[in-house]
Amino acid sequence: MIADTTLSVVMPTLDADATIAKALAQFDRARATGLVEELVVSDGGSRDGSVASARAAGARVVSGSRGRGQQLALGAQAARGAWLLFLHADTRLEPGWEAQVTGFVASGNTDRAAAFTFALDDDAAAARRIERWVERRCRWLGLAYGDQGLLIPRSLYDRLGGFRPIPLMEDVDLVRRIGRHRLSILSTRAITSAARYRRDGYLRRPLRNLGCLSLFFAGVPPHVIARLYG
């Protein structure tokens, strides 16, 4: 029996008109070769041209309530592929990603998931320090965040219960259920916009993220953490 290797890309959006066209265009070649079967954009109520731009780029759009956890869950529900690739709209996979994804999917192992290597689109030394910290976090704790993307078999995603409709930490919540022994970190970089780090500060934002993570691990409900950190 030949394994089903159909791949759906699921991308959550909210007022992402400035980035969505380029975010989806990175999959043009993969769609032409048949690696990517469909693009599913899960919109959380954008007031700009995000939905129109996504449709113009060939994506199927589903709309629902604002909140990344809810949007990812809705997008996954709509996706038809045997494999799901979740990616944020401000993240680009570096050239050559197709070969690694193809190899991972073609392995036929439907009890493993993968994330990409974290990178920021900033030449600042502070950005390299953040990248090194994320690399250690992934190596020591097996914790990949949503800005690293997530490649997961549909069967494993469903078995684990998928993304939960929580206001934040939805990525950590799912990755913890996957478990470090079932999560591979691919060498291909997922290059994410550093705009939030430049806005909030390369020290303040990581400390905020660490505070959220610590409270989440301590059992504080996500909606309480969201109120604390805004």
Side-chain angles (χ1 to χ4, degrees):
M1 180 178 177
I2 299 175
D4 188 347
T5 59
T6 54
L7 176 62
S8 298
V9 175
V10 178
M11 187 173 292
T13 56
L14 180 66
D15 296 331
D17 192 34
T19 60
I20 189 63
K22 286 185 178 180
L24 295 173
Q26 68 182 308
F27 298 107
D28 285 350
R29 185 172 67 175
R31 294 179 73 192
T33 62
L35 172 59
V36 170
E37 179 182 274
E38 63 174 351
L39 305 173
V40 178
V41 166
S42 184
D43 189 72
S46 293
R47 297 183 179 180
D48 61 5
S50 297
V51 170
S53 295
R55 287 179 175 147
R60 185 156 54 95
V61 178
V62 293
S63 299
S65 301
R66 175 176 179 170
R68 190 170 277 161
Q70 296 183 77
Q71 291 175 236
L72 289 167
L74 182 64
Q77 183 180 4
R80 298 184 289 256
W83 287 77
L84 305 173
L85 173 55
F86 297 99
L87 197 71
H88 293 176
D90 63 352
T91 299
R92 308 287 178 273
L93 301 179
E94 69 176 347
W97 67 267
E98 296 98 334
Q100 279 209 310
V101 168
T102 297
F104 195 85
V105 170
S107 71
N109 189 341
T110 58
D111 197 44
R112 291 192 64 81
F116 299 92
T117 296
F118 176 79
L120 289 167
D121 65 349
D122 194 330
D123 293 331
R128 304 292 82 77
R129 287 194 293 271
I130 297 296
E131 291 168 0
R132 288 193 293 272
W133 155 243
V134 172
E135 188 276 331
R136 294 184 186 108
R137 186 192 71 211
C138 291
R139 178 156 41 91
W140 296 341
L141 302 177
L143 278 180
Y145 285 1
D147 48 18
Q148 293 174 250
L150 181 65
L151 176 64
I152 185 170
R154 156 73 74 177
S155 57
L156 178 59
Y157 176 86
D158 288 343
R159 194 161 71 245
L160 295 173
F163 282 103
R164 291 170 176 158
I166 54 180
L168 80 174
M169 309 303 289
E170 77 290 332
D171 45 2
V172 174
D173 176 62
L174 178 55
V175 165
R176 287 182 77 190
R177 281 179 278 139
I178 293 170
R180 61 183 301 178
H181 63 288
R182 290 193 295 201
L183 183 70
S184 299
I185 304 297
L186 304 179
S187 60
T188 297
R189 295 184 305 158
I191 305 169
T192 295
S193 170
R196 283 169 291 188
Y197 286 91
R198 289 190 287 264
R199 181 192 68 209
D200 300 338
Y202 272 101
L203 179 60
R204 183 172 177 269
R205 185 166 188 86
L207 289 176
R208 173 189 179 276
N209 291 344
L210 182 59
C212 290
L213 184 65
S214 299
L215 291 173
F216 184 73
F217 279 1
V220 177
H223 71 274
V224 175
I225 303 174
R227 284 205 304 268
L228 289 173
Y229 284 91

